Amino acid sequence: MSAGEERAELDRLRKRVADLERLLKARAGRTVHEREHAGGERVLQESQERFRQLAENIRDVFWMTDPEKNRMIYISPGYEEVWGRSCESLYAAPRTWLDAIHPEDRDRVLRAALSKQVTGDYDEEYRIVRPDGSLRWIWDRAFPIRDDSGAVYRIAGIAEDITQRKRLEEALEKSSRDLQTIIQASPLAFIALDADGNVTTWNAAARRIFGWTEQEVLGRPLPYVPDDKRDESDTLWESAMRGKFLEGVEIRRRRRDGTMIDLALWAAPLCDANGNVISTIGLLADITEHKRGEEALRKSIERFELTVQGSRDGLWDAWAVPGDPFAPGNPIYYSPRFKELLGYADDEFENVIASWASRLHPEDRERVFTALRNHLERRVPYDIEYRMFTKNGECRWFAARGQAIWNQEGQPVRMSGSFSDITERKRLEEHLRQAAKMEAVGRLAGGVAHDFNNLLTVIIGHSERLLKALGADDRHRRSVEGIRQAADRAASLTSQLLAFSRKQVIQPRLLDMNAAVSGLTPMLRRLIGENIRLVANLEPRPCLVKADPGQVEQVLMNLAVNARDAMPQGGTLTIGTAITLSEGGAGPGQGDLPAGPYVCLTVRDTGLGMDAETKAHLFEPFFTTKERGKGTGLGLATVYGIVVQGGGTIDVDSSPERGTTFTVLLPRAAGSLQTEKAAGPPAVETSHTETILLVEDDVLVREFLCDLLEGLGYRVLTAASGEQALQLCETGKEPVHVLLTDVVIPDMSGRVLVERAATLRPDMRVLFMSGYTDDVVLRHGISEASAAFLQKPFRSNVLAAKIREVLDAPKGQGS
C-alpha cells in the first residue's frame, strides 16, 4: 500500500470511528436498542484495532489527545524513532512533547496549538531537540474530532519528519545565493529576458558596460538596441526562444551615453520541466577594443578617465605582485576622487599600497587585510566597511568593494574596486539606534503611567476623604497631608516622564506665557547651574496662548538646556516675553504666517554661537553639534514640532562668539484667565438622585469611586467588564443616567461598550476615564480633547464636577 493510500485509509477509519462514537453516544441509555448498541461497540473496537495497526505501519507519526483531560491517549511507534523518546514517557508526562521543541519555536507552536486546534487549521513546522542533541524538523498537522453537538472531544494529528526536505531547501537557498554572487561578480554582462522579451536579470557588469542601472531596465525591453538594429535583435532573441544556442555572435549596440560598442554574445534558452522554452539568458563581452584597435583603446581610456573624474566614489586598481600582494611598496592606482575623499591633492598621495594602509584605523587594519586575503586566496567577495583617518586627522567611515582577476593557474593578477564615504550613513544609523532607545523609554513610560495613575487616583482620593474627616488639630492630619502631597508629586513625576517620551495626553488650555516662565524659573536656575545668570524680561500685559502647559515647559526646558551647553564658562541667559502684531507673510521656519497678534517668547544666551552651516540644519531630527553620547539631536526638532503644531513659528539668530537668540511666535489667544477660572468646577453637592453605571476593572479604583459617588448621593451600579455592564443595561429595570467607564477594559474597548450600550439605553450619558497615554486612548477611538473624558489621576471634586457637567449638558452632548 502506498503512502497516499495509507493516508486515505487512515482518513476513512478516522471518520468511521467518529461516526460510531456519535452513534454510541446517541443511543446510550436506550434499552430497546441494546443489541444494536452491542453490535456498534464491536464494530467500533474492530475499527479502532484496524486503525491502530495501520497507524503503526506508516512512516508518519499519528497521535491523538483528550483536550478535556489534557493528556495523550495514543501515539504511533514512529514517535520513538523520530523524537528519540519512548511513547510511555509521553503518556506519563504530556509536556515531554513541548519540552522537546526547540526553544526558539516553542512559544509559536504552543500559541498555534492553543488557538487553531479547535478550528482545524493547525499546520506548523518546527524543530525538535533529540536527547542526543541532534535537531530534526517536524511538520505537524492537527484536526478536531467532534460529537453530535459539535463539541471537540478528541484532537488527532499527523507529524512528519521533514528534516531532509529542510536540508535540501537550505542547500537550494545557498546555491541560489552563490549563483547570484557569481552573476554579480562576473566580468561579463549577464542578462536574462522573459518570454515577452523584457529584462529579468541585469548584473553589475551589464550596468558597467551599458550604463543603465538595474532599477531602470527590469521589466522593460532591452534599452541598448538602436532603431536600426531592432530587427536583428528580435531575430536573435526569437532564435534563442526556438531553442537555438548562440555562441560568440558579434553585435553592435548602444550605451546609455549614446556611444556604439561592439559585443560578443553567447545566448541560450531556458526551459521548464516539460522542455518548453520560457526565457533566454545571455552573456555579453565588450570587444570594442579588439574591433577598433589602437584608436578604440585610446577612446576607451578617455572614457574611463571621464568616468573616474565624474564618479562620486573613489576608484582603485591594483596589480597583484607574486609572493606578497600587500607589500607597502606595491603599486596601485588611486583615482583623484579617491584621494579627495581622504583630503589629499592628486600629487600628495603616492600610488602605492602604503599610502592607503597607513591611514587605516588600527582597530580595523587586521580585519581589512583578512578580507583582502580571503578574496584573493579563497575568492570570498570583498565588500567591507572600515574607518580611515583623513589628512586633517578626522576619522571617517568608508565602504570598499573590489573584484580580482585570476589567471589560468588560479593566481590573482589584478584587483579593482570602488571606495565611498559612508560617514553620514553611519551617523544616521547611530541616531536611529538612539531614537530606538528613546522609543523604548516611551513604551516603558506608557506602561508604568497606567498603573501609577490608577494607584494615584486611589491614594489621592482616599487622602482627600481623610483630610475632610480629620479635624484641623488632629495629630494625624499632617501625615495624611504628607501622603497627598507625595501623591501629587508622583502624579507630576509621571506627567514629566510622559512629556519626555512625548506620550502625554495633550490638553491645550488658556495660559499666560508670563506665568509659565515665572513658574519654571526656579527649576531653570537649578538646571543651568550657578555660573549662569538667569534674567526674565516679561511683558507687563498678560501673554495668553492656547497651548498644553507641559509642552510649553518642554520648549522652555529644551531651549534653556541648549543655552547652558553653549556657555561652558558661564554667561547670561535672558528669557523675554512680548506681544507683537504680524502683518502676515512668510514666517521663519514655515510658510505664510497669518496676520494678527502673537505672543513672542525669546531665549537669548551669551555663549559660543553658531555658524551658517549649523543654523541651516539646526531643526533637523538627529542633527547635533554635541560630542558622541552627549545628545540625540531631537531636542530642537521637538521644539520646532510643538511650535508649528501650535500654529506658530520659531527662528534663530546667531553667529560665532556672539551668542544665540531663539524667537518663538505663538498666536495670541482671546479671553481671560478670570473667565476660564469662573467656568471651573463648582462646589461639590451631595444631594443627587441619578444612577451611575461604573465600569472599572481595577478593584481598588472601582471600590474607591463607588464609595465616592455614593457619598455624593448617586446610586451606583458597578461592573468589572464590558459584558457585565451590558448585562446590567439589559436586565436592569431602573434608568441609568451616566455610564462612567474606563477606556481600556479587559473584554472590549470603552468605545465598543458605549456603542453596544447605546442600543439598550439610548438616553444614557457617557463619561470616559483612563490612566493610559494619548496613543492608547486615541487607538481606542477616544479624543483626548473630549469634553467627556477624564485623565487619571483626578481629584474628587473634579470627578464630581465632570459628572454634573455631563448630566446637565443639553441632550445629545453627554458623551
Side-chain angles (χ1 to χ4, degrees):
M1 183 180 294
S2 66
E5 292 172 340
E6 289 175 350
R7 290 191 179 88
E9 179 66 14
L10 190 62
D11 289 340
R12 287 194 294 273
L13 286 175
R14 177 177 59 81
K15 294 178 181 178
R16 180 62 175 163
V17 169
D19 292 341
L20 288 175
E21 288 192 358
R22 285 197 296 270
L23 177 62
L24 291 175
K25 288 189 176 182
R27 294 178 177 177
R30 299 183 183 179
T31 58
V32 295
H33 295 104
E34 289 180 352
R35 179 177 301 173
E36 185 177 352
H37 176 79
E41 281 195 347
R42 285 196 299 275
V43 173
L44 175 61
Q45 293 173 357
E46 293 172 359
S47 298
Q48 288 177 335
E49 179 61 27
R50 185 180 179 190
F51 177 78
R52 291 180 183 275
Q53 292 176 358
L54 180 62
E56 292 172 358
N57 287 304
I58 63 175
R59 288 175 296 175
D60 296 342
V61 177
F62 175 78
W63 55 268
M64 183 179 293
T65 64
D66 183 342
E68 181 176 354
K69 297 182 179 180
N70 191 26
R71 66 183 183 88
M72 182 72 69
I73 62 175
Y74 178 74
I75 188 163
S76 62
Y79 169 81
E80 298 185 355
E81 177 182 354
V82 176
W83 264 260
R85 294 171 171 84
S86 67
C87 296
E88 289 73 14
S89 66
L90 186 59
Y91 291 137
R95 186 176 173 84
T96 303
W97 165 77
L98 183 62
D99 292 339
I101 298 177
H102 194 284
E104 296 180 1
D105 300 339
R106 190 173 297 154
D107 289 345
R108 170 177 59 82
V109 174
L110 183 58
R111 287 196 300 269
L114 294 176
S115 64
K116 296 182 178 179
Q117 282 182 353
V118 176
T119 62
D121 58 353
Y122 171 80
D123 190 333
E124 292 291 325
E125 293 182 0
Y126 54 85
R127 295 164 292 177
I128 63 170
V129 182
R130 290 163 55 87
D132 61 3
S134 62
L135 296 180
R136 291 262 185 114
W137 272 96
I138 302 298
W139 180 19
D140 199 2
R141 289 143 289 171
F143 50 85
I145 301 176
R146 306 176 186 273
D147 58 19
D148 291 340
S149 66
V152 177
Y153 69 95
R154 294 289 187 274
I155 295 175
I158 299 176
E160 179 182 352
D161 186 345
I162 59 171
T163 305
Q164 186 62 25
R165 192 196 79 190
K166 281 292 186 178
R167 289 172 179 170
L168 292 176
E169 288 176 354
E170 292 174 358
L172 180 60
E173 182 180 355
K174 182 179 183 301
S175 297
S176 177
R177 290 196 303 269
D178 292 344
L179 178 60
Q180 288 298 320
T181 300
I182 293 172
I183 290 173
Q184 292 300 323
S186 173
L188 300 180
F190 186 100
I191 301 172
L193 305 178
D194 61 17
D196 296 323
N198 295 322
V199 177
T200 58
T201 302
W202 184 271
N203 72 343
R207 181 175 70 248
R208 183 176 66 253
I209 292 174
F210 296 106
W212 283 277
T213 65
E214 186 178 22
Q215 291 77 12
E216 293 174 312
V217 299
L218 287 182
R220 301 176 183 176
L222 291 171
Y224 53 68
V225 181
D227 293 339
D228 60 340
K229 300 292 183 180
R230 187 71 58 186
D231 292 341
E232 177 195 68
S233 177
D234 292 343
T235 301
L236 292 172
W237 174 71
E238 290 170 0
S239 297
M241 288 297 295
R242 290 195 299 268
K244 183 178 180 180
F245 287 80
L246 306 177
E247 298 181 6
V249 178
E250 294 185 3
I251 59 176
R252 189 171 175 79
R253 294 293 181 261
R254 179 188 64 203
R255 294 185 52 171
R256 183 173 187 172
D257 59 8
T259 58
M260 302 298 292
I261 57 174
D262 295 296
L263 302 158
L265 168 66
W266 290 263
L270 285 179
C271 302
D272 60 17
N274 298 320
N276 300 317
V277 178
I278 57 175
S279 63
T280 61
I281 58 173
L283 290 173
L284 296 100
D286 186 352
I287 59 171
T288 305
E289 292 80 1
H290 300 284
K291 299 291 291 184
R292 298 181 181 179
E294 291 297 328
E295 180 63 19
L297 178 59
R298 185 184 62 82
K299 290 183 178 180
S300 177
I301 294 174
E302 289 178 355
R303 285 197 299 271
F304 173 76
E305 291 296 335
L306 289 174
T307 303
V308 169
Q309 294 297 332
S311 175
R312 297 177 59 185
D313 296 339
L315 303 178
W316 51 274
D317 187 15
W319 292 265
V321 176
D324 187 3
F326 309 120
N330 286 353
I332 184 172
Y333 167 77
Y334 302 111
S335 70
R337 176 59 177 164
F338 186 104
K339 301 172 184 178
E340 181 184 345
L341 290 174
L342 292 174
Y344 290 92
D346 193 16
D347 58 355
E348 291 180 323
F349 202 81
E350 188 178 356
N351 288 334
V352 292
I353 289 180
S355 300
W356 161 77
S358 64
R359 310 306 300 175
L360 284 171
H361 194 288
E363 296 177 3
D364 298 342
R365 185 187 302 274
E366 183 61 30
R367 180 170 57 89
V368 172
F369 279 103
T370 298
L372 282 169
R373 189 175 295 105
N374 288 338
H375 179 69
L376 294 176
E377 298 176 358
R378 300 165 51 195
R379 305 199 181 190
V380 176
Y382 180 71
D383 190 345
I384 189 170
E385 297 176 356
Y386 52 83
R387 292 164 292 177
M388 291 187 71
F389 292 103
T390 63
K391 181 182 178 180
N392 62 8
E394 180 185 5
C395 182
R396 299 187 68 83
W397 276 95
F398 294 91
R401 298 184 62 186
Q403 179 62 49
I405 300 176
W406 293 267
N407 59 20
Q408 294 182 350
E409 289 74 30
Q411 297 174 335
V413 295
R414 191 171 186 174
M415 184 174 179
S416 302
S418 62
F419 179 81
S420 57
D421 189 330
I422 59 169
T423 305
E424 293 306 317
R425 193 196 79 190
K426 284 289 187 178
R427 288 175 179 170
L428 179 58
E429 290 174 354
E430 179 63 24
H431 291 154
L432 291 176
R433 282 191 288 270
Q434 292 291 338
K437 293 178 183 178
M438 292 187 66
E439 178 63 24
V441 173
R443 289 195 297 269
L444 174 62
V448 171
H450 169 252
D451 294 336
F452 262 58
N453 287 336
N454 273 338
L455 294 173
L456 292 174
T457 298
V458 177
I459 295 172
I460 292 174
H462 281 303
S463 62
E464 287 179 340
R465 295 180 66 181
L466 284 173
L467 287 174
K468 290 180 181 179
L470 296 175
D473 55 350
D474 192 293
R475 65 188 183 90
H476 297 298
R477 185 174 183 85
R478 183 174 180 182
S479 297
V480 176
E481 287 178 343
I483 293 173
R484 188 183 67 176
Q485 291 173 3
D488 288 341
R489 290 182 62 187
S492 175
L493 179 61
T494 304
S495 177
Q496 291 179 29
L497 185 61
L498 292 176
F500 166 75
S501 62
R502 292 181 293 169
K503 289 184 177 290
Q504 76 273 34
V505 174
I506 305 301
Q507 295 180 323
R509 64 179 178 84
L510 194 65
L511 62 87
D512 186 354
M513 187 64 75
N514 291 335
V517 173
S518 298
L520 202 61
T521 296
M523 182 183 295
L524 292 179
R525 293 188 189 278
R526 294 192 298 270
L527 181 67
I528 62 178
E530 297 179 355
N531 64 333
I532 297 177
R533 188 168 66 99
L534 179 61
V535 178
N537 294 330
L538 304 182
E539 167 74 30
R541 295 170 294 173
C543 295
L544 302 182
V545 295
K546 192 76 171 182
D548 184 287
Q551 287 194 331
V552 171
E553 290 182 1
Q554 192 173 4
V555 169
L556 287 168
M557 293 282 285
N558 281 337
L559 293 179
V561 167
N562 268 13
R564 178 200 65 189
D565 294 342
M567 297 183 288
Q569 305 302 322
T572 300
L573 172 62
T574 304
I575 301 178
T577 59
I579 297 175
T580 184
L581 186 64
S582 172
E583 297 180 358
Q590 67 172 28
D592 291 342
L593 190 67
Y598 287 83
V599 171
C600 177
L601 172 69
T602 58
V603 178
R604 179 182 298 110
D605 66 64
T606 59
L608 302 174
M610 295 176 282
D611 55 24
E613 178 67 17
T614 301
K615 287 194 296 182
H617 302 282
L618 195 60
F619 298 111
E620 294 179 4
F622 306 123
F623 177 79
T624 180
T625 58
K626 298 175 184 178
E627 62 183 89
R628 185 174 181 178
K630 296 296 185 180
T632 63
L634 293 174
L636 289 179
T638 301
V639 170
Y640 178 85
I642 292 173
V643 172
V644 173
Q645 185 181 26
T649 63
I650 183 170
D651 191 21
V652 59
D653 180 23
S654 182
S655 58
E657 307 302 330
R658 298 189 62 183
T660 300
T661 300
F662 285 93
T663 302
V664 175
L665 294 181
L666 291 173
R668 187 184 184 191
S672 65
L673 293 177
Q674 289 75 16
T675 302
E676 188 156 290
K677 290 179 181 178
V684 177
E685 301 175 1
T686 59
S687 57
H688 303 295
T689 59
E690 293 91 347
T691 299
I692 297 175
L693 174 54
L694 171 64
V695 186
E696 169 61 62
D697 61 298
D698 189 300
V699 62
L700 293 178
V701 178
R702 185 171 66 250
E703 291 177 352
F704 162 69
L705 292 179
C706 180
D707 291 345
L708 172 63
L709 294 172
E710 288 178 344
L712 296 174
Y714 295 106
R715 184 172 182 269
V716 182
L717 305 175
T718 61
S721 67
E723 289 297 337
Q724 291 182 13
L726 290 174
Q727 187 176 4
L728 289 173
C729 289
E730 184 175 6
T731 59
K733 303 300 182 183
E734 68 280 356
V736 177
H737 301 88
V738 176
L739 171 61
L740 175 59
T741 177
D742 206 347
V743 172
V744 181
I745 46 182
D747 51 352
M748 67 183 73
S749 72
R751 173 57 68 185
V752 173
L753 169 61
V754 169
E755 291 173 353
R756 293 177 60 181
T759 63
L760 303 172
R761 303 282 182 147
D763 295 330
M764 183 171 60
R765 308 295 181 89
V766 178
L767 175 58
F768 291 105
M769 58 182 175
S770 180
Y772 277 103
T773 55
D774 65 335
D775 53 343
V776 176
V777 173
L778 290 172
R779 191 163 62 245
H780 283 268
I782 311 300
S783 170
E784 73 276 6
S786 171
F789 174 80
L790 273 177
Q791 176 67 33
K792 298 176 182 177
F794 46 74
R795 293 192 178 279
S796 303
N797 62 334
V798 174
L799 173 62
K802 200 69 175 182
I803 290 177
R804 289 315 316 169
E805 179 183 331
V806 171
L807 285 170
D808 298 338
K811 189 174 183 180
Q813 300 180 15
S815 63

